[in-house]
């Protein structure tokens, strides 16, 4: 392992550079029927914010503290997780949005990506964490992550109390924690843990009257891309040994087809990296086009991350995200 460079860490595996969740009262609206169309989605809303934030709280709900964030459990699909894999949904492709730098800044140079960060949430009384990234949209309030980072899938329920901490590094985000407004994922993930629809969007509330994309920048979103993509970068915050979840890691490499719908990249990131962005056509370390999000990893052989590239269904869900 190379010594970590200032404000981010790196590791080489098999010649490929790699880099390393308070309770919502709303309940998931059940799909209209078990046979809901794969493109159907469901969402939950955040409860109203309290009138006064307790001392020591990081987020506006007053739930999250630095200690809770530091001790959050890395959320990962367990080895041997059961699910289905749908067929490729859409042969068309397009650009849903383009990358944008923060307001007032022409270029981002911080090696810790401001457009990616840690997504904290709760399941019952336990605190968990995934990774996520900002997406530029008309409302400047959107992040994308894995479907299992917002809902447990078949037989499970919605997670709650989401906050996003962009550019998280050794207990600090530098931008504060953004509370959620709305979380949405596919009915096919909710009903049958369909790995090909393991994607989710979350809209965020303003912090200090500023939207997250205006504060930290936003990646573009593309859909319908092939599974083989050159010069891909995957960001994440792995938190299982030998990692500790306190610094970001990345994987650079060329993705390749895996199974019937997935893209794959040799990479040793583990629990906590779920939901991290797969970037193509990068402008710099911070900005690019998100074409997939980390879904799961192999459990034997060469460590490999897997993700189904965004389909036309993801574009449809993107269009449903407003406030």
């Amino acid at each position: 392992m190379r010594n970590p460079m200032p404000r981010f860490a790196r590791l080489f595996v098999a010649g490929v550079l790699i880099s390393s969740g308070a309770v919502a009262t709303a309940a998931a609206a059940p799909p209209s029927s078990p046979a809901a169309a794969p493109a159907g989605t469901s969402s939950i809303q955040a409860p109203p914010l309290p009138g006064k934030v307790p001392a020591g709280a990081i987020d506006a709900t007053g739930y999250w503290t630095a200690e809770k964030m530091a001790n959050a459990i890395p959320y990962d699909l367990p080895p041997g997780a059961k699910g289905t894999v749908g067929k490729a949904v859409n042969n068309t492709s397009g650009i849903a949005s383009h990358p944008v730098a923060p307001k007032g800044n022409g270029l981002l140079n911080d090696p810790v990506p401001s457009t990616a960060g840690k997504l904290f949430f709760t399941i019952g009384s336990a605190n968990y964490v995934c990774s996520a990234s900002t997406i530029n949209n008309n409302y400047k309030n959107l992040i994308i992550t894995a479907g299992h980072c917002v809902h447990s899938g078949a037989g499970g329920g919605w997670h709650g109390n989401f906050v996003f901490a962009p550019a998280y590094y050794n207990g600090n985000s530098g931008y504060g924690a953004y509370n959620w407004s709305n979380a949405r994922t596919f009915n096919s993930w909710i009903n049958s843990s369909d790995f090909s629809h393991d994607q989710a969007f979350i809209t965020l509330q303003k912090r200090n009257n500023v939207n997250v994309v205006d504060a930290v920048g936003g990646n573009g979103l593309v859909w319908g891309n092939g599974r083989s993509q050159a010069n891909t970068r995957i960001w994440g915050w792995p938190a299982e040994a030998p990692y500790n979840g306190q610094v970001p890691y990345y994987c650079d490499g060329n993705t390749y087809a895996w199974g019937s719908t997935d893209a794959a990249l040799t990479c040793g990131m583990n629990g906590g990296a779920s939901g991290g962005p797969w970037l193509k056509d990068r402008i710099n370390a911070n900005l690019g086009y998100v074409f997939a999000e980390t879904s799961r990893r192999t459990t034997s052989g060469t460590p490999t991350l897997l993700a189904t590239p965004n389909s036309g269904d993801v574009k449809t869900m993107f269009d449903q995200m407003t406030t």
Side-chain angles (χ1 to χ4, degrees):
M1 177 179 292
R2 290 188 173 189
N3 291 329
M5 293 182 65
R7 293 185 59 77
F8 79 112
R10 303 190 298 177
L11 177 68
F12 281 95
V13 171
V16 178
L17 182 65
I18 75 165
S19 61
S20 127
V23 178
T25 58
S32 56
S33 72
T41 64
S42 292
S43 68
I44 51 171
Q45 303 286 334
L49 292 174
K52 185 177 181 181
V53 181
I58 291 177
D59 73 312
T61 70
Y63 178 81
W64 290 100
T65 62
E67 182 179 8
K68 287 180 178 178
M69 287 184 171
N71 295 320
I73 303 165
Y75 195 68
D76 193 18
L77 290 175
K82 302 300 181 181
T84 63
V85 177
K87 297 180 180 180
V89 201
N90 200 312
N91 292 323
T92 61
S93 63
I95 300 174
S97 70
H98 293 282
V100 62
K103 278 190 171 181
N105 293 274
L107 185 65
L108 299 172
N109 296 309
D110 193 338
V112 176
S114 65
T115 60
K118 300 185 76 167
L119 176 66
F120 296 92
F121 54 94
T122 56
I123 302 176
S125 60
N127 303 318
Y128 289 88
V129 64
C130 276
S131 298
S133 62
T134 61
I135 296 293
N136 185 28
N137 69 344
N138 291 336
Y139 306 94
K140 309 299 181 184
N141 64 356
L142 194 64
I143 60 172
I144 194 168
T145 188
H148 70 266
C149 295
V150 304
H151 191 286
S152 296
W158 292 95
H159 312 330
N161 223 19
F162 302 99
V163 295
F164 177 62
Y168 187 95
Y169 186 85
N170 281 340
N172 297 291
S173 82
Y175 300 94
Y178 286 78
N179 285 96
W180 68 299
S181 292
N182 174 281
R184 183 179 295 273
T185 192
F186 291 108
N187 290 338
S188 59
W189 173 258
I190 293 171
N191 293 335
S192 58
S193 298
D194 176 2
F195 291 133
S196 64
H197 282 97
D198 187 16
Q199 302 98 11
F201 286 107
I202 301 176
T203 57
L204 302 175
Q205 301 177 37
K206 291 181 178 182
R207 179 179 174 86
N208 297 327
N209 206 36
V210 177
N211 279 310
V212 64
V213 170
D214 289 332
V216 308
N219 292 298
L221 181 75
V222 292
W223 50 277
N225 290 260
R227 295 186 282 165
S228 298
Q229 296 291 331
N231 301 317
T232 293
R233 173 164 290 183
I234 303 174
W235 282 104
W237 275 256
E240 296 175 345
Y243 310 104
N244 63 9
Q246 294 302 299
V247 298
Y249 287 79
Y250 64 80
C251 302
D252 278 346
N254 302 330
T255 66
Y256 51 93
W258 180 287
S260 59
T261 67
D262 283 319
L265 184 65
T266 302
C267 181
M269 285 193 282
N270 52 29
S274 287
W278 293 39
L279 295 168
K280 68 189 297 286
D281 301 330
R282 286 182 290 114
I283 297 170
N284 56 31
N286 286 272
L287 294 171
Y289 290 87
V290 177
F291 76 94
E293 305 75 37
T294 300
S295 172
R296 59 205 190 282
R297 56 192 167 100
T298 58
T299 57
S300 62
T302 302
T304 303
L305 295 183
L306 305 173
T308 298
N310 299 329
S311 66
D313 291 346
V314 174
K315 168 59 166 62
T316 298
M317 184 163 59
F318 169 83
D319 291 338
Q320 294 173 327
M321 305 305 295
T322 55
T323 58

